[in-house]
Amino acid sequence: MKEPVIQDHYRVLGVAYNANAAQLKKAYHTAAKKQHPDKSTPTKAAKCTVAFQHLQAAYQTLSDTASRKAYNLEHPPIKAQWDDWERQQKIRETKRQKRRCFTQEIIIVHSENDQFKVHLHFLTARSAFFRGQAETASRDGIRFADEDDVVAAYVHFLYHDEIHTELSEAVLEAAEGSDESTIVKAEHGFLAKLYMFGEKVQDDIFCDKVITALAATIDKRDGRGGRTFPNSKVVKFIYDGTIAGSPIRQMMAEIYAENSGHHWFPHRAYEYFHPEFSYDVVREILLHRTQCPPRGKMVDLAPKWHRQKQK
């Protein structure tokens, strides 16, 4: 898209609609040096004189706050054209940046038994961990002991901005002839692994997406119309792999405190659950004795457990 075609004062000075006083002054002096009649040839003197007069009129109008406001009110189409032009410029710049992402260096990311080729920009743009690894990564790659499915899901997220649980072999196996509840349980386990990987590489956006995906799986209904919550095995796995205060720990404790029944806590429950989880659940239950817990879809509550919100 071309610049606005109306010969307005902003175009005469070559500045944007929201240009400040310093930008106006700089643009005026730069243009005045080029268009001053004294510096033109005799054949172009008349044309330069007219252009210089337009330049002076534009600067006098826009450099005064009151006259600039009046001018803007009299010429609303000018602002509309500039807004549209600037919007198109931003879109084009965004596309340029995306193209640059794919021309940068390729890094090899190793998982337990596989390897993935990733553009360096996608790693360093969002994670302090990868920025710290960038210098040596170009030579040796980046190695993780995590399962292939976990690293594959993270790489998929970098390029597509979505959590894809179907990349998990466990989820695919559960989907073969199993009921919805079994599939969801497999997804819970895989999402727990993804969250811990996100914490390891310090990618808060990824962790928040995993939290939202986990909440969405809980909202899925089984054959009896009920929800399927993370079981004790998943909860213990989460507590074993995260530190106190982790948002996903908070999520598990609040979910159990707000939705659990007595059958969720069998005799000798300490053998099933992490001791810190039991403490967190009791704390949440005591808190909710005087505070009504939130209700509704779990996915709508997910933002309260996002890492970015808590920073």
Side-chain angles (χ1 to χ4, degrees):
M1 180 179 177
K2 296 181 179 180
E3 292 186 15
V5 295
I6 296 177
Q7 293 295 323
D8 60 83
H9 288 340
Y10 294 96
R11 182 174 174 81
V12 170
L13 286 168
V15 296
Y17 189 84
N18 59 351
N20 57 35
Q23 292 170 327
L24 288 170
K25 186 175 182 179
K26 182 179 179 180
Y28 171 70
H29 286 299
T30 301
K33 291 178 182 178
K34 296 179 180 179
Q35 299 180 17
H36 199 283
D38 293 345
K39 295 187 177 182
S40 64
T41 60
T43 56
K44 296 182 179 180
K47 186 177 180 180
C48 286
T49 299
V50 173
F52 189 71
Q53 289 173 347
H54 288 167
L55 183 67
Q56 286 182 310
Y59 181 66
Q60 289 173 359
T61 300
L62 299 184
S63 60
D64 180 76
T65 304
S67 61
R68 181 177 182 176
K69 184 176 181 180
Y71 176 81
N72 291 342
L73 291 174
E74 292 174 6
H75 302 83
I78 293 176
K79 182 180 186 306
Q81 287 199 53
W82 273 109
D83 287 346
D84 185 55
W85 180 72
E86 289 180 346
R87 184 166 53 252
Q88 294 297 329
Q89 289 294 97
K90 289 180 181 178
I91 293 174
R92 293 175 66 182
E93 181 58 29
T94 300
K95 290 181 179 179
R96 290 193 196 100
Q97 290 178 357
K98 287 184 177 180
R99 285 197 296 270
R100 284 196 290 269
C101 293
F102 293 106
T103 60
Q104 289 192 344
E105 186 177 2
I106 298 291
I107 298 298
I108 304 298
V109 178
H110 300 269
S111 60
E112 185 179 23
N113 299 303
D114 207 345
Q115 61 183 32
F116 306 87
K117 295 180 179 180
V118 186
H119 289 88
L120 179 62
H121 169 81
F122 285 98
L123 296 171
T124 57
R126 62 194 312 134
S127 167
F129 171 84
F130 287 116
R131 286 193 290 274
Q133 298 281 329
E135 187 173 342
T136 58
S138 58
R139 183 179 66 254
D140 305 322
I142 302 176
R143 298 184 179 276
F144 294 103
D146 299 82
E147 297 173 5
D148 303 337
D149 299 346
V150 172
V151 180
Y154 181 70
V155 172
H156 178 87
F157 171 78
L158 291 177
Y159 284 92
H160 302 284
D161 195 34
E162 64 177 4
I163 304 299
H164 198 49
T165 57
E166 286 76 9
L167 291 171
S168 166
E169 288 292 336
V171 173
L172 292 176
E173 290 176 6
E176 296 178 359
S178 300
D179 58 18
E180 184 67 26
S181 177
T182 304
I183 298 172
V184 171
K185 288 177 181 177
E187 289 179 328
H188 289 168
F190 185 59
L191 289 169
K193 293 177 183 178
L194 293 185
Y195 186 89
M196 280 183 274
F197 184 83
E199 281 200 339
K200 180 192 299 184
V201 299
Q202 303 170 30
D203 191 334
D204 290 347
I205 297 176
F206 179 69
C207 287
D208 291 348
K209 287 278 189 177
V210 173
I211 287 286
T212 301
L214 181 57
T217 61
I218 295 173
D219 282 331
K220 292 180 180 179
R221 301 292 173 171
D222 58 23
R224 295 173 295 179
R227 291 171 170 174
T228 302
F229 293 87
N231 58 29
S232 58
K233 182 179 179 181
V234 172
V235 174
K236 189 175 187 304
F237 179 77
I238 289 172
Y239 268 74
D240 284 338
T242 57
I243 62 173
S246 175
I248 198 169
R249 282 192 176 196
Q250 181 184 349
M251 180 185 187
M252 293 299 103
E254 290 187 18
I255 286 174
Y256 267 70
E258 295 169 8
N259 299 277
S260 64
H262 293 297
H263 62 285
W264 283 28
F265 297 93
H267 180 59
R268 299 172 65 87
Y270 58 85
E271 295 181 356
Y272 298 89
F273 292 106
H274 194 285
E276 292 180 24
F277 170 71
S278 300
Y279 170 81
D280 289 343
V281 171
V282 171
R283 183 190 60 198
E284 288 298 325
I285 291 174
L286 292 175
L287 174 65
H288 292 152
R289 288 179 64 182
T290 57
Q291 178 179 320
C292 182
R295 296 296 178 184
K297 288 186 177 181
M298 202 64 64
V299 72
D300 295 332
L301 303 176
K304 68 184 290 191
W305 300 303
H306 283 179
R307 294 178 64 87
Q308 289 186 305
K309 182 179 179 180
Q310 298 184 14
K311 287 190 173 182

